[in-house]
Structures are given as structure tokens and as C-alpha cells.
Amino acid sequence: GTVSVLGADGSPVGTVTVGRAPTGVALAGTGLVYVTNFGDNSVSVIDPIDHDVSHTVSGVGTNPIGIAVGPQGMVYVTNFGDSTVTVIDPATGYSTRTIALGAQQPDGIAVLSDGTIYVTHPFNDLVTALTPTVQGTYTAVDIAVAGGPSAIAVDTDGLVYVTNSGSDTITAIDPDTFATTTISVGAH
């Protein structure tokens, strides 16, 4: 697989060869670019200066798909095939933890500043919120949403937004109460 590198004006400036079937991409505060490789169960780490893969993280789980950078630069990966989240420490370049999910086939992922992880499950119409505990574990809350939640993002106030491709909507989730508001966006 390859990843295209675009200049500030959107014009192509290069191509980087990564693992098989690249799917997700995330930019770390350090400038490094992380790419999930669905086809070979790895994450490629791209140096933004050289446009080369500087490191490949293997053993992240089966079919890594979504990726996000959280607090302290930790990298979080959803693994579609084994329904887990892998945490990668950017300082070592290795996975440090695997978190099992109750719902199957996760896709999108976002991490709040407090370390709460949000994961979409498009085939279950769920978003799972994983809130860290003082014991180092996570408390999971499943939030029902309509119609195939996939992409997910967090705004500067911590409000979570989820695209629902099957229902042509966006769901806004309040991180304090997990209350949802559905916004119609029209036909796809």
C-alpha cells in the first residue's frame, strides 16, 4: 500500500510505501504520521521530513483500522478483526496495552484530553466510551446511535461528533452525561 504526501497547497509531493491496505491516518504533535495497515496487522510510522517509514509497529491486533493520538502523545488503534484497542507508546514505538471491547468490529476512534476513549461500532449501531479509572482499567459505556456510526471527532470543548452513514446523520455526544443529539445532514 501507499500513502500520498500533499503539500500545503494540496498538490502531490510524494508517495510513501507502507503496509498492505492502509486505512487510518493520524498526526502526532511531534510531526510523526501514523498509518494503520489493515492487511498486515501493523502500523507504519512516517517521518514527515524524509517521507519514509521510520518504524513499523507489528502485533497491534487483527485488521487495525482506526487511529488517534491522545494525551501525552499515546497512539490508540482500533482492531476491526479482534474487537480490541491497542495503545502504542511513541517513545518506545511498541504496543503497551490491548483493551478488549464488548461490541464487535470497531472502526473510528477519538481520545479526549482526560484519556477517555470513544470507539465507533458501525455494525452494532454503538459508540463505546472507555473512561480510565485510578486503578488503570477502563469503565465501558455503550451509547446507542442510529445508522452505522463510523468516523468520530472531538471538538475543543470535548463534545464528541459521530458520522452515521446509514442514517445520513451526525450524533453529538455530551462527554459528561453521554446524552446524544442527532443532527440530520441529508442524503448520501
Side-chain angles (χ1 to χ4, degrees), residues 4-74:
S4 297
V5 180
L6 304 177
D9 64 355
S11 63
V13 297
T15 302
V16 180
T17 300
V18 295
R20 290 185 302 130
T23 53
V25 62
L27 177 65
T30 60
L32 293 175
V33 178
Y34 291 83
V35 177
T36 56
N37 301 306
F38 189 87
D40 63 8
N41 305 328
S42 68
V43 172
S44 297
V45 183
I46 300 173
D47 182 309
I49 306 299
D50 300 347
H51 300 158
D52 286 325
V53 173
S54 62
H55 181 72
T56 299
V57 181
S58 58
V60 295
T62 305
N63 308 123
I65 190 166
I67 191 163
V69 178
Q72 293 85 37
M74 299 299 276

